[in-house]
Amino acid sequence: MEPGGLEWLLVPMQQLVSWGAAGAMVFGGVVPYIPQYRDIRRTQNAEGFSTYVCLVLLVANILRILFWFGRRFESPLLWQSIIMIITMLLMLKLCTEVRVSNELNVKRRSFAAADSKDEEIKAPPKRSYLDFDLNYFWHWSKFTDYVQCVLTFTGVSGYITYLWLDSSLFVETLGFLAVFTEAMLGIPQLYRNYRNRSTEGMSIKMVLMWSSGDTFKTVYFILNQAPFQFSICGLLQVFVDIAILLQVYLYSHYPQKPVSHTAHPASTKAL
């Protein structure tokens, strides 16, 4: 058989593999949050999910999109950020609705000034334009407040990027901040486990999904010659995932203290 005899088969196969890898890259990051979303809807309990995860991922992916305007990287990575932003907004909407429905006689908090006709508040206190109490940051009572905050951050960071887009140093720094923010997502979980000397309330299945997803993502970065920031921070994410898995082994085989509190069905990287 001639050397080019199988070319008609190999080329389409390579194309399919390429499309499959790109599809996995775009949608793979949101897969771990699907069972979490369904679980929250089923139980009407969002205690096991930290909305700060949404904050970190929103910031990281907004910065990544802005980085794309300065340095055009692979299109699947851009679409991954868009899909992740939509997913995190959906998670925020559900968690906010569930949390507020479970709260009774709790003062409502908002990012923007409250409307005097705000339902569920008979006599709202006088507020400034921004009810920006750091103690209640990202714990607002309406989904629209989160949207306003995200839009404000996007507008400010987008304007700054527009002004400095010609600076290669700024663009490279922006790219590093984007992926480094996402890479740090597992650090709070790592610290929480260390502080509690336990991994109670953390889904091991989800950690395995993080690890496999982060490993695939890092390999994809390296093979497709993505900007070096992506590869470095992808490796950092893999190391953090491995460290968390080591904690699971150590604390399950060598318990540090008796467990006395009820486990929450946490299935995401908590902050």
Side-chain angles (χ1 to χ4, degrees), residues 196-242:
N196 296 336
R197 297 294 193 275
S198 171
T199 56
E200 180 189 8
M202 185 187 70
S203 171
I204 299 177
K205 178 181 178 181
M206 293 302 295
V207 178
L208 292 173
M209 292 179 70
W210 302 336
S211 303
S212 59
D214 291 339
T215 301
F216 171 81
K217 181 171 60 178
T218 303
V219 172
Y220 182 91
F221 291 158
I222 296 173
L223 294 180
N224 287 274
Q225 298 180 338
F228 75 97
Q229 298 99 322
F230 287 65
S231 300
I232 293 175
C233 292
L235 288 171
L236 179 58
Q237 274 187 288
V238 173
F239 290 146
V240 171
D241 293 338
I242 293 174

Side-chain angles (χ1 to χ4, degrees), residues 170-217:
F170 173 82
V171 171
E172 295 301 325
T173 302
L174 183 65
F176 176 77
L177 288 176
V179 290
F180 183 75
T181 301
E182 185 176 354
M184 291 293 99
L185 192 60
I187 296 296
Q189 181 72 63
L190 188 72
Y191 174 73
R192 191 190 73 168
N193 295 342
Y194 172 76
R195 184 186 60 192
N196 296 336
R197 297 294 193 275
S198 171
T199 56
E200 180 189 8
M202 185 187 70
S203 171
I204 299 177
K205 178 181 178 181
M206 293 302 295
V207 178
L208 292 173
M209 292 179 70
W210 302 336
S211 303
S212 59
D214 291 339
T215 301
F216 171 81
K217 181 171 60 178

Side-chain angles (χ1 to χ4, degrees), residues 54 59 76 88 101-102 108 125 128 132 190 199 205 234 244:
C54 300
V59 170
M88 290 301 102
S101 66
N102 292 334
R108 298 296 189 239
S128 60
F132 204 78
L190 188 72
T199 56
K205 178 181 178 181
I244 294 176

Side-chain angles (χ1 to χ4, degrees), residues 4-5 12 19 41 43 51 75 78 108 113 121 134 138 147 158 161 167 180 185 196 207 221 223 235 241 249:
W19 287 345
R41 287 199 63 178
T43 63
T51 55
S75 295
L78 177 64
R108 298 296 189 239
I121 305 179
L134 287 178
W138 211 250
V147 174
T161 301
S167 171
F180 183 75
L185 192 60
N196 296 336
V207 178
F221 291 158
L223 294 180
L235 288 171
D241 293 338
Y249 174 79

